[in-house]
Amino acid sequence: MLKSAIFGGSFDPPHLGHLFVVTTLLNMGFDEVRIIPVATHPLSKKCLPFPLRLQMTKLNFALFPNRVVIDEIENNLPAPSRTWDTIIQLQKIHPDSNFTLVTGEDNLAIKNNWYKWKELTAKIDGITIGRGNFDTRDPQLKIPDISSSFIRKNIDYPN
């Protein structure tokens, strides 16, 4: 059975923190990391168009051609993109994979806004990534305080 980490997000833009997470997941023993850019954000977060974010994500992770998969699955599912729907579809497409969901610690603060959060956490194993000053629980993996929103605020980023 393939041990696969599911790492989704806006990737608007992808950055060194994302690379750090992927490198760490691969070093933890995952056979692959499946990067899933959100197509239509479920919480109405404004993002650059999906094709542009997809292209940036592919470039960001090009260093990992054999063990990182950039998956466009959410672009083929009904909007908005919901993790529950994505996981169900991935399990159908890849029945020989054992998936682990990688979730940012910041998302735990808003978990009640996630579609079927309790069912999701009962259905699939998870790893929590801590960043910055979030103090919701002890994360299994901690990265430097790098965020896409900080990057967008501090460079001439298209809106």
Side-chain angles (χ1 to χ4, degrees):
M1 180 143 304
L2 185 72
K3 189 175 175 186
S4 179
I6 303 299
F7 184 29
S10 301
F11 300 102
D12 189 22
H15 52 69
L16 289 173
H18 297 133
L19 285 170
F20 183 87
V21 170
V22 167
T23 302
T24 303
L25 292 168
L26 292 172
N27 284 327
M28 289 173 69
F30 285 96
D31 299 312
E32 73 171 14
V33 177
R34 191 166 286 274
I35 308 292
I36 303 180
V38 66
T40 305
H41 202 283
L43 302 178
S44 302
K45 178 179 172 183
K46 185 180 175 186
C47 298
L48 287 178
F50 179 79
L52 181 56
R53 290 183 293 108
L54 180 65
Q55 182 180 15
M56 289 189 298
T57 303
K58 287 179 178 179
L59 290 170
N60 194 59
F61 295 103
L63 296 170
F64 304 98
N66 299 320
R67 294 182 60 202
V68 173
V69 176
I70 310 302
D71 196 323
E72 302 177 43
I73 189 169
E74 289 196 353
N75 199 39
N76 300 315
L77 294 174
S81 299
R82 297 186 299 205
T83 304
W84 172 262
D85 298 331
T86 302
I87 295 298
I88 296 296
Q89 191 64 26
L90 284 171
Q91 289 177 330
K92 288 179 186 175
I93 296 169
H94 305 285
D96 293 334
S97 292
N98 180 21
F99 294 111
T100 299
L101 181 64
V102 179
T103 308
E105 192 175 23
D106 51 332
N107 282 308
L108 294 180
I110 59 168
K111 66 185 178 191
N112 292 331
N113 295 338
W114 281 45
Y115 180 72
K116 294 191 176 185
W117 174 260
K118 287 182 183 177
E119 294 92 333
L120 180 65
T121 57
K123 183 170 190 56
I124 188 171
D125 290 332
I127 291 177
T128 303
I129 301 170
R131 182 188 75 218
N133 297 321
F134 290 100
D135 199 20
T136 53
R137 71 178 192 172
D138 186 29
Q140 294 155 303
L141 170 62
K142 187 92 168 160
I143 66 168
D145 193 9
I146 303 169
S147 71
S148 296
S149 58
F150 177 82
I151 293 168
R152 287 192 305 269
K153 288 177 191 173
N154 288 281
I155 65 170
D156 187 20
Y157 195 74
N159 292 327

